Each structure stands twice: as structure tokens, then as C-alpha cells.
Amino acid sequence: MTGETEILGESLPFDERIEIPNWEHRKVDLGTYRKSHESSVKNSEVLWETVAKELDWQRPWDAVLAKGEHPHVAKWFPGGAINLSQLALDRHVAGNRKNKVALIWEGEAMGDDGSPKEVRKLTYFDLWREVNRFAFLLKNNFGMKKGDRMAVYLPMIPEAVVVLLAAARLGVTFTVVFSGFSAEALSSRINDLGAKLLVTADGLNRRGKQVNLKEIADKALEQTRTVNQVIVVKRTGSAGTNMKAGRDFWFDDLMRGVPVSARVEPEQVESEHPLYVLYTSGTTGKPKGMIHDNGGYAVLLHATMKWVFDLKDEDIYWCPADIGWVTGHSYVVFGPLIEGATTVIYEGTLDFPQPDRWWQVIERYGVSVFYTTPTATRMQMRFGEDFVKKHDRSSLRLMHSVGEPINPSAWRWLFDVVGEKRCPVGSTWWMTETGGIMISILPGLMLIPMKPGANGLPIPGIDAEVVDDKGDPVAHGEKGLLVIRNMWPGMPGAPTGMWGDPERYVKQYFEKFLPKDYFFCGDYAVKDNDGYIWVAGRADEVLKVAGHRLGTFEIESSIVSHKAASEAAVVAIPDPIKGEVPIAFVVLKNGFAPSEELRKELRHWVRSNFSAIAEPSQVYFVNKLPKTRSGKIMRRLVKAVAEGKPLGDVATLEDEASIDEVKQAYESLTII
Ligand code: WT7
């Protein structure tokens, strides 16, 4: 697997090394890092046990790691019990962080005086009290207990944090569904998990407009069998919210009935008990429900918050990710609160009402550690430096990016313009499945030189490698597949790795390299001469649109659920801001003719029936799609045409004319 590797058309500066004088205290040379990494991998159980001892456990573990019933699902710290709500709240409240601000929340709306209309600050004590009250309600009024499941469909409001921590407190396994997803996405997740309860809101604010979330939730509930109780947070207060008697309850009304003195003792939660199930897109079929446990997950979060973010008590930490994605779970809610940090949550869009909203938030609260994305960075680059420079960023001391490859020039912009060469800038590689960061520079532990666009070396205890199809390491500088060769705390958890589908779990992540027990990540990567890993993009049919993970198959299913569409092939093409965007080639049913109208309608259809982030940036009509003789759509060929690249092997193509169709359709629209 050779070939040029680049990120958004920019070649990778393998030999560039950037160091900053003010991080001398953590500086190590590469040889030292590599040696200590090697020994951490050899003795990874010792390492993780040392980290685990820094947390408060309800009951100590019998072993660090044990194989589960299923060969590829491990149990971390079996025999141990730990409660993440207790870790994130009770131990701080009992110690000297009781009156420290845990959450700073800012609503989207701006007042005429140039300051936000709504800001809420909750101390650890405040948050602990609210979580106790809500857990009390869940337990006593709704009968929720350990092992039950609930779904959460909420915007970025403090209640979302309260709800997640209350569920963790009771050992109720939750699934968060991104509030930008449609009713279908919500109902399929509820059904797969068998959630008994849904927590949602009347609406959400986005770019000054309101979206009626409850209406979408109601549509989803028509398609579900298990939810019979719904708690609704009043966010927008929009008139006419439909509340079904006996099923739907206002959060505020319920909470008013719970005294501030209400307490619920944190449940004893077994280390391997599922904390949450998060659905993420795969190559085929419906989204996969990845299970994360309590003990191993907490250990990985604690380690990475320290090593990667170098978090100190005086820091103000901000990660603008939505709680609907894994970054929101790990690095907005659980990670920072376990560490006792002050974490900022902003409700709205980063460029609303003005492009400098980002910098305003950083200035207003004195954000010191900032976790951003390549897409947001590229957007800001386009707005220009003036927006940045007009705000005080002297509080910033460390930045990381996540979600997709960062092109070297975006990295340089964060480093030079935003951080004025003072702050380490990293690109942390991980995925929903890994639970936490796996490959990154480690400003909180030992800092090696940075390289613009690189992810860095694997973190201690993680044996990540770039391999060929057989699982053998590729030569340095050559493109290969990213694998993780050992087990790590925070990996998909017991009992089945993937909710209800152990076979699919093994097939997806392990089958490719069996009998080697390598976890196949699905990414292309390059390892340079210094051992730095550069993840360059997905090797499968998963898209990363503005860092959001979507499956081509999901978008195609959405398209063909429209009455006019008979078949669809969706591929990603590079986009200078969003990294990638989907485009769709569609075969129409008899009786429907291509038209500009229909193009628009299909795009809009995906937007409202799946998600706005999945909307194809263009729809092309064709009479047939390139397929194999067995009828499988050859998206690889469609993509090659769209990118103007050589087609490669076409031996299995059934009908070569189909390629000309795709070419013509593509060119007729793009030449203009
Ligand atoms: C995929 C996982 C990681 C939490 C949010 C995304 C891509 C993620 C990076 C990075 C290059 C990255 C990979 C990965 N990715 N971070 N720093 N550099 N690529 O989680 O939605 O499960 O997506 O995101 O392709 O496989 P996710």
C-alpha cells in the first residue's frame, strides 16, 4: 500500500520539528520517549493499575485485566466497583473543591450590551446537589435502577450534564443521541438499546433560531415500544409543546417536588458494568452501539486528562464538542469533572452572531486549555486573523484538535496566530470505540517536538502500529492501516463490545487480522522515521464531515427512502473547510425525471429525515451505478471519478458504461 499521503492536498512535513521554550520542564528527546513507551507497553497492566490507584474505588479489583466470556471483550479491573458520579462529584464536594466552579455555561443569545444573555455557573456543590435530586427522581418516581437503560436527546445545557451524572450514579446505562439527528435515528437507537425512559427538551437554540426537539422526539416515540416515560427540560419555552398526559413530565415541575436536601447514595457499580452505549456509524447496516464500562473508562480518562491536557486546578478548560458525540462524553462531561476541573459549555454555534464568538468565550472566562477541531479552525482561518487578534488570548496555554486529520497549515495557524507560539498544539487521535485518546503529544507528561499535522506517538500503554494487509508493519513513510495491538482500559466493554451484537463486533474490528488479536481502526496512516503517526483519513466507507462520523450506507438508505429514488451511491470528496463532504449519485425510479427541483428535494430529504450534517453537497442523476457482477455498488470507482483520479482495478466491474454515466453526470455539473 504505497502512495502519496497528504492531508487536504498538503504534503506532510515529516522532518519538521517544533519546540517551545516555555515547555522545557517536560521536554524529552525521542529516544527517551520511545524507551519509556516500549516498557509501558510491555508492562501495561502495571501502568494502568498505577493510574487506577489514583482514583477512589468503592471496592478494589481482583485483577487488572481478565478475558470476558467473549474472546475479544476484556474486563478491566474485574471485582472492583466504582461510581463515576461519585468520582466526579462526591469526592470533590468532600474535599477542597466543594465551592470551585465545575461548570460555566453560556447560552447562545447575545444581549444588546455585547454580553451573553444567559450565563450559569455551577459549583461542585451545586452540581452535586442537582445530580442527587435528579437521581432521586429517577429512582423514586420513575423506578430506574441499575441495569435499566435510558435515552438522552438534549441540547448543550447544564441539565444534560446533570442527567448523565445522575444515570451514572444509579448505574443506569444511558445512550445520548445527538440533537441534530432525526426522529428515525432516535427511535432506532431507543429500540436497539431497549431504553425505558427518554430525557429530552422542548427545543434548542441554533443560530438564533429555535428547533422544536420535542416534536421530533414525539415522532420517534411513535416508532418505539419500550419508552413509556419522558422527561422534558424547558429550554426554549416555545408555546404549544405537546405534553402527553401520563407519559410526559416537565423537568422543572418534577424537580420542584424534590427537596434540595434529597440524597441518593452512589450505587455500587461493578467496574465492567456498562456506563453508556454510544451509537456510531460503520461501513454497513445500522449504527453500532459501542459499550463503555465504568472502571476502565474512568482510568483512561484520568490518565489522558493528565498526560494530554496537563490539567491543573487553576485551569479553565473548554471543549466545544456536543454531548451527542464521544468527545462530549469523555472530554466535556466525565473527564474534566473526574479531574475536578472548571469546564466551559457553550450552547450555540461558534461563529454566531459574529465570527469571533469563539475568541469571546476564551477571553470572557480566561480559557487556558482548549480542545478544538480542524473544521472549526479552518473556518476561523477564513474569517481572518483580525477577529482573533482583537481578543485577549493570553490565558491560553495549551491546545489540541480532534475528530479528523488536521492539515499542516491549520495546525500552523493555531500555533502561530492563536497561541502566538506559546502553546503546545496537538492532534489527538482516537475514536468512539477507543473511549479516549490513544495517539497524541503529551504536554502533561513528557513533550517531544511537535510536527504540524502529525498525531504523535501512541500514549503510554498503547501499542498502535501502521501495518499492511497482513498485519506486518509497513516501512516508515509508507501508507498503511492503523491497528491497536494490545488491550486498553476504556476499550469497548463487557458483555459484548457492541450492544447486542458480539459477532458484528468481532467481524468489524478483529476479523481482518485474525489470528492476530489486532484492533482494526479503519484509518489510513503513515509512520515517519521518528515513529510519529500521521492519520490521514478513513480507509473504509465512513465519512468525516466537519469531524462528524457518518456512514455512506446510512445516507444512501435515507436517499432511497424517498419515493423517487431507486438506488444511490454516496461518496466523500475533499472540502477545504469541512475536510470531507458527501455527494450522491442517484438512479431514479421509473416515472421520475431528473430535475433541479428533485435535486433540491433529495438533499432536503436527507437533511430532515436523517441529519443536516449528512446533506449531500450535490446530487447527480445517473441511469446506472457501477457495480460488481454480484451487484455490489463500487463506491471506490465513483469516488475515483469524482476526485479525477485513476480508476485502478476494474476487473470486477459488471458494465463499463456505468462509469461513463458517472463521469458525464459529474462533469456536466462541475464544469460550470
Ligand atoms: C475517526 C473516529 C475522536 C473523537 C471524535 C471522533 C478520525 C479522530 C483524529 C485526528 C486524524 C482523526 C479518524 C477516526 N479522527 N481524531 N486527531 N487525526 N483523524 O470520533 O466520530 O468515532 O471518529 O475520526 O478517522 O477513525 P469518531
Side-chain angles (χ1 to χ4, degrees):
M1 215 176 305
T2 47
E4 271 294 292
T5 308
E6 40 183 47
I7 302 176
L8 279 182
E10 295 174 27
S11 59
L12 308 181
F14 289 140
D15 296 323
E16 201 166 334
R17 289 177 191 83
I18 295 174
E19 304 195 44
I20 34 181
N22 50 329
W23 283 82
E24 279 298 324
H25 57 298
R26 290 281 159 70
K27 196 172 144 185
V28 293
D29 61 78
L30 265 168
T32 310
Y33 185 92
R34 273 207 298 262
K35 240 195 227 133
S36 88
H37 182 260
E38 226 169 82
S39 93
S40 77
V41 168
K42 267 197 206 117
N43 306 297
S44 68
E45 290 187 31
V46 176
L47 168 77
W48 296 122
E49 183 160 38
T50 312
V51 177
K53 283 183 180 155
E54 293 174 9
L55 298 174
D56 296 345
W57 292 71
Q58 297 171 308
R59 198 172 61 217
W61 50 89
D62 300 331
V64 174
L65 176 64
K67 286 267 180 190
E69 301 86 76
H70 210 276
H72 294 95
V73 184
K75 286 185 182 175
W76 280 88
F77 307 104
I82 192 165
N83 186 300
L84 266 61
S85 156
Q86 184 175 18
L87 273 186
L89 299 169
D90 300 57
R91 65 178 182 142
H92 305 313
V93 170
N96 56 11
R97 296 195 181 109
K98 180 177 175 189
N99 298 317
K100 179 179 175 177
V101 174
L103 286 189
I104 303 176
W105 174 82
E106 179 169 314
E108 190 189 66
M110 288 295 274
D112 297 334
D113 62 351
S115 51
K117 279 190 175 159
E118 295 167 286
V119 174
R120 282 174 67 189
K121 292 187 182 178
L122 278 84
T123 63
Y124 273 93
F125 177 70
D126 296 333
L127 190 59
W128 173 76
R129 208 156 67 173
E130 291 304 286
V131 168
N132 267 285
R133 292 174 72 210
F134 191 64
F136 183 92
L137 261 174
L138 286 179
K139 185 175 171 174
N140 297 311
N141 299 37
F142 293 87
M144 296 297 285
K145 53 183 191 314
K146 191 164 83 182
D148 286 344
R149 274 95 58 202
M150 65 189 248
V152 178
Y153 187 55
L154 283 172
M156 290 299 281
I157 50 177
E159 287 79 0
V161 179
V162 171
V163 169
L164 265 46
L165 289 171
R169 196 170 191 83
L170 298 175
V172 169
T173 302
F174 60 84
T175 190
V176 182
V177 182
F178 173 53
S179 60
F181 277 152
S182 66
E184 286 71 18
L186 176 58
S187 61
S188 70
R189 285 158 175 78
I190 288 175
N191 289 336
D192 191 73
L193 190 62
K196 282 168 68 172
L197 179 105
L198 170 68
V199 186
T200 186
D202 57 349
L204 62 82
N205 297 310
R206 194 148 186 89
R207 294 194 173 277
K209 294 202 186 88
Q210 299 189 336
V211 177
N212 190 333
L213 216 55
K214 180 62 168 49
E215 206 173 279
I216 305 172
D218 281 341
K219 247 174 84 186
L221 289 169
E222 286 169 20
Q223 311 294 326
T224 62
R225 301 168 291 278
T226 49
V227 168
N228 42 33
Q229 292 174 313
V230 183
I231 301 176
V232 187
V233 180
K234 190 172 278 176
R235 173 62 196 127
T236 50
S238 43
T241 298
N242 165 50
M243 295 291 281
K244 192 169 162 190
R247 186 193 70 178
D248 302 351
F249 305 89
W250 288 109
F251 179 91
D252 284 346
D253 291 350
L254 293 168
M255 287 289 263
R256 256 195 298 278
V258 185
V260 287
S261 57
R263 301 280 179 270
V264 175
E265 279 309 304
E267 194 71 30
Q268 286 254 329
V269 177
E270 295 72 30
S271 174
E272 72 271 21
H273 180 76
L275 172 68
Y276 65 80
V277 174
L278 183 59
Y279 288 83
T280 188
S281 303
T283 42
T284 53
K286 60 181 169 51
K288 309 169 284 188
M290 306 313 306
I291 304 174
H292 285 296
D293 68 6
N294 284 263
Y297 183 65
V299 168
L300 180 62
L301 295 188
H302 175 52
T304 49
M305 287 307 304
K306 280 201 313 182
W307 301 341
V308 178
F309 294 101
D310 187 37
L311 212 65
K312 306 262 192 318
D313 249 322
E314 53 276 21
D315 277 314
I316 304 285
Y317 167 91
W318 185 28
C319 166
D322 193 281
I323 48 148
W325 311 106
V326 73
T327 314
H329 291 59
S330 298
Y331 296 111
V332 177
V333 180
F334 290 102
L337 296 177
I338 287 173
E339 297 308 295
T342 298
T343 175
V344 176
I345 295 187
Y346 164 61
E347 179 188 31
T349 319
L350 293 171
D351 56 347
F352 184 87
Q354 300 295 327
D356 63 345
R357 186 65 181 262
W358 231 29
W359 315 113
Q360 278 189 25
V361 172
I362 289 175
E363 179 180 63
R364 193 152 31 243
Y365 307 110
V367 171
S368 53
V369 176
F370 184 41
Y371 198 17
T372 182
T373 67
T375 292
T377 304
R378 289 188 293 258
M379 230 166 78
Q380 289 291 334
M381 286 169 79
R382 186 163 284 190
F383 293 140
E385 293 181 10
D386 291 350
F387 285 109
V388 187
K389 292 193 165 151
K390 99 178 168 198
H391 295 281
D392 181 11
R393 294 150 356 261
S394 55
S395 59
L396 280 177
R397 64 179 195 91
L398 173 56
M399 285 181 273
H400 283 289
S401 132
V402 67
E404 52 178 316
I406 187 161
N407 44 315
S409 60
W411 187 95
R412 285 195 184 92
W413 194 80
L414 282 176
F415 184 73
D416 294 341
V417 180
V418 182
E420 292 167 320
K421 299 185 162 62
R422 266 183 298 114
C423 311
V425 174
S427 169
T428 62
W429 179 90
W430 59 295
M431 52 200 301
T432 305
E433 291 83 340
T434 68
I437 295 165
M438 298 278 108
I439 306 173
S440 175
I441 56 162
L442 306 170
L445 188 65
M446 35 184 173
L447 191 61
I448 53 173
M450 297 171 284
K451 299 190 181 195
N455 299 105
L457 270 62
I459 69 166
I462 301 299
D463 185 17
E465 188 51 273
V466 181
V467 301
D468 62 18
D469 262 330
K470 292 191 212 66
D472 298 322
V474 295
H476 289 173
E478 233 176 68
K479 191 167 152 184
L481 299 169
L482 185 65
V483 293
I484 304 174
R485 300 190 293 192
N486 62 353
M487 303 244 181
W488 69 97
M491 64 188 288
T496 47
M498 199 188 290
W499 187 262
D501 208 341
E503 279 74 40
R504 189 167 171 214
Y505 177 64
V506 174
K507 196 170 157 41
Q508 180 81 41
Y509 301 104
F510 294 96
E511 197 169 66
K512 187 165 175 69
F513 294 108
L514 283 176
K516 294 183 174 108
D517 275 343
Y518 292 0
F519 184 91
F520 172 50
C521 307
D523 278 320
Y524 281 127
V526 178
K527 190 162 142 179
D528 69 21
N529 281 327
D530 295 323
Y532 285 63
I533 293 178
W534 305 64
V535 175
R538 296 291 307 186
D540 54 10
E541 278 154 6
V542 165
L543 280 68
K544 296 290 315 203
V545 182
H548 301 314
R549 179 163 162 184
L550 299 164
T552 47
F553 180 83
E554 289 169 285
I555 308 179
E556 289 164 1
S557 309
S558 173
I559 293 173
V560 299
S561 70
H562 186 277
K563 61 179 188 303
S566 126
E567 284 182 306
V570 167
V571 296
I573 55 165
D575 179 88
I577 302 285
K578 293 182 178 176
E580 285 187 337
V581 290
I583 56 171
F585 292 82
V586 178
V587 179
L588 292 174
K589 282 189 188 143
N590 280 339
F592 291 92
S595 71
E596 211 40 55
E597 273 306 290
L598 193 51
R599 232 188 264 285
K600 274 201 204 116
E601 197 177 312
L602 286 170
R603 291 178 60 187
H604 190 258
W605 177 263
V606 174
R607 211 184 159 77
S608 51
N609 286 277
F610 178 27
S611 176
I613 54 177
E615 178 181 331
S617 70
Q618 191 54 268
V619 170
Y620 304 94
F621 295 114
V622 288
N623 291 313
K624 50 178 140 15
L625 289 167
K627 285 186 187 165
T628 61
R629 281 181 200 102
S630 58
K632 237 183 114 195
I633 296 174
M634 297 180 77
R635 296 192 192 90
R636 175 177 65 81
L637 298 182
V638 178
K639 192 171 164 74
V641 170
E643 288 184 350
K645 292 202 173 139
L647 293 182
D649 184 10
V650 289
T652 51
L653 182 64
E654 188 203 17
D655 177 0
E656 287 204 21
S658 60
I659 284 292
D660 298 329
E661 282 258 349
V662 169
K663 262 189 198 150
Q664 267 168 24
Y666 188 69
E667 281 159 11
S668 65
L669 270 183
T670 15
I671 282 165
I672 323 162

